[in-house]
């Protein structure tokens, strides 16, 4: 079964606080996968815990702008609180401002072990006005076909009216705006055949001086096992698989 988005939602809370929380609109399903992206501001502050009362969450290294604004991905797999619409609570090490939280449920992600495969991030990237696929993480090569590619990004700027469009192949899942020009966006797509890629975003609008962005990306394996892909061999393996199918 291919990976598919079930539901997603997001919230922005500008005032200083030590937590941010958000509930799913609908009940989740046992065995599914939850991935969240959280953004916050204040020097030296980190996420202490992510909890929904049942599942255990794992973290991926945060991206930063000038060590003041941070974006991080957390996730949990093979969830066991199906039939409920859980509230996910993020707790920070100290009070943070301009907190944003985006939560997503997917089906079809690997349940037998931690599905996380690769991750990449970019800190302090200077971004240009109306630049297609300009904002980008570093590239990675997923180890298997059919993986979920999930990304999150935040712009910090003195300009107003900026927004994001999802990058090539990606679909926007959530976007929140702080003050009408500080977009925080998540996006994803399922890569049918493993190949090197980066998460990208298109900046919409005119950037101001010192407009910077941060981006994080992670890839997650599908429940159906796929053959491991060696660097540069994704298309070759896909062709061999198709030829084998034709001879069955």
């Amino acid at each position: 079964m291919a990976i598919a988005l079930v539901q997603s939602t997001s919230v922005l809370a500008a005032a200083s606080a030590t937590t941010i929380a958000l509930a799913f609109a609908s009940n989740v399903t046992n065995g599914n996968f939850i991935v969240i992206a959280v953004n916050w501001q204040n020097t030296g502050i980190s996420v202490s815990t992510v909890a929904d009362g049942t599942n255990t969450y794992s973290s991926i290294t945060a991206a930063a702008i000038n060590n003041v604004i941070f974006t991080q991905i957390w996730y949990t797999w093979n969830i066991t609180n199906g039939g409920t619409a859980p509230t996910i609570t993020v707790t920070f090490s100290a009070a943070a401002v301009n907190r944003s939280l985006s939560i997503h449920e997917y089906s079809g992600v690997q349940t037998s072990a931690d599905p996380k495969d690769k991750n990449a991030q970019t800190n302090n990237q200077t971004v240009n006005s109306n630049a297609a696929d300009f904002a980008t993480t570093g590239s990675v090569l997923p180890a298997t076909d059919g993986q979920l590619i999930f990304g999150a990004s935040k712009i910090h700027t003195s300009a107003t009216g900026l927004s994001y469009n999802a990058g090539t192949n990606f679909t926007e899942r959530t976007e929140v705006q702080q003050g009408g020009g500080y977009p925080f966006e998540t996006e994803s797509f399922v890569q049918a055949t493993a190949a090197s890629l980066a998460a990208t975003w298109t900046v919409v609008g005119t950037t101001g001086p010192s407009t910077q962005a941060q981006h994080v990306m992670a890839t997650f394996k599908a429940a159906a096992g796929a053959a491991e892909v060696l660097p540069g061999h994704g298309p070759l393996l896909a062709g061999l698989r198709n030829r084998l199918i034709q001879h069955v």
Side-chain angles (χ1 to χ4, degrees):
M1 178 179 65
I3 294 172
L5 177 71
V6 177
Q7 59 179 322
S8 61
T9 187
S10 59
V11 66
L12 167 68
S16 179
T18 57
T19 64
I20 186 170
L22 182 61
F24 281 109
S26 302
N27 290 348
V28 298
T29 300
N30 283 340
N32 278 358
F33 174 78
I34 293 174
V35 59
I36 76 163
V38 58
N39 176 265
W40 70 97
Q41 182 176 341
N42 264 7
T43 303
I45 292 175
S46 61
V47 173
S48 299
T49 61
V50 174
D52 63 18
T54 304
N55 302 294
T56 299
Y57 286 76
S58 300
S59 65
I60 293 171
T61 303
I65 298 175
N66 300 323
N67 201 35
V68 175
I69 301 170
F70 303 88
T71 295
Q72 190 171 30
I73 294 171
W74 290 68
Y75 65 96
T76 185
W77 71 96
N78 196 18
I79 63 174
T80 59
N81 51 350
T84 70
T87 296
I88 299 175
T89 301
V90 177
T91 301
F92 301 98
S93 58
V97 298
N98 300 327
R99 296 156 291 121
S100 301
L101 176 59
S102 298
I103 63 176
H104 314 72
E105 179 191 8
Y106 288 86
S107 62
V109 175
Q110 176 177 284
T111 59
S112 57
D114 187 342
K116 187 261 179 180
D117 181 27
K118 303 292 172 55
N119 66 280
Q121 67 183 71
T122 299
N123 303 317
N124 302 320
Q125 183 189 14
T126 299
V127 294
N128 296 334
S129 304
N130 298 306
D133 290 324
F134 184 81
T136 181
T137 63
S139 295
V140 300
L141 175 62
T144 55
D145 295 343
Q147 290 200 18
L148 170 66
I149 317 298
F150 180 85
S153 182
K154 173 67 179 282
I155 288 179
H156 180 69
T157 179
S158 59
T160 58
L162 292 183
S163 63
Y164 266 144
N165 284 341
T168 299
N169 296 321
F170 285 84
T171 299
E172 181 178 282
R173 300 308 182 190
T174 65
E175 182 172 343
V176 294
Q177 288 275 352
Q178 173 204 334
Y182 294 74
F184 175 59
E185 195 243 32
T186 63
E187 63 180 23
S188 71
F189 90 103
V190 177
Q191 187 183 47
T193 302
S196 181
L197 83 163
T200 63
W201 290 264
T202 294
V203 180
V204 180
T206 302
T207 60
S210 301
T211 297
Q212 292 184 310
Q214 57 189 193
H215 329 289
V216 290
M217 175 184 69
T219 77
F220 301 96
K221 296 177 182 178
E228 184 168 341
V229 178
L230 298 176
H233 290 71
L236 172 63
L237 290 178
L240 289 173
R241 182 176 62 247
N242 290 337
R243 293 175 68 179
L244 286 170
I245 291 172
Q246 292 172 4
H247 287 82
V248 172

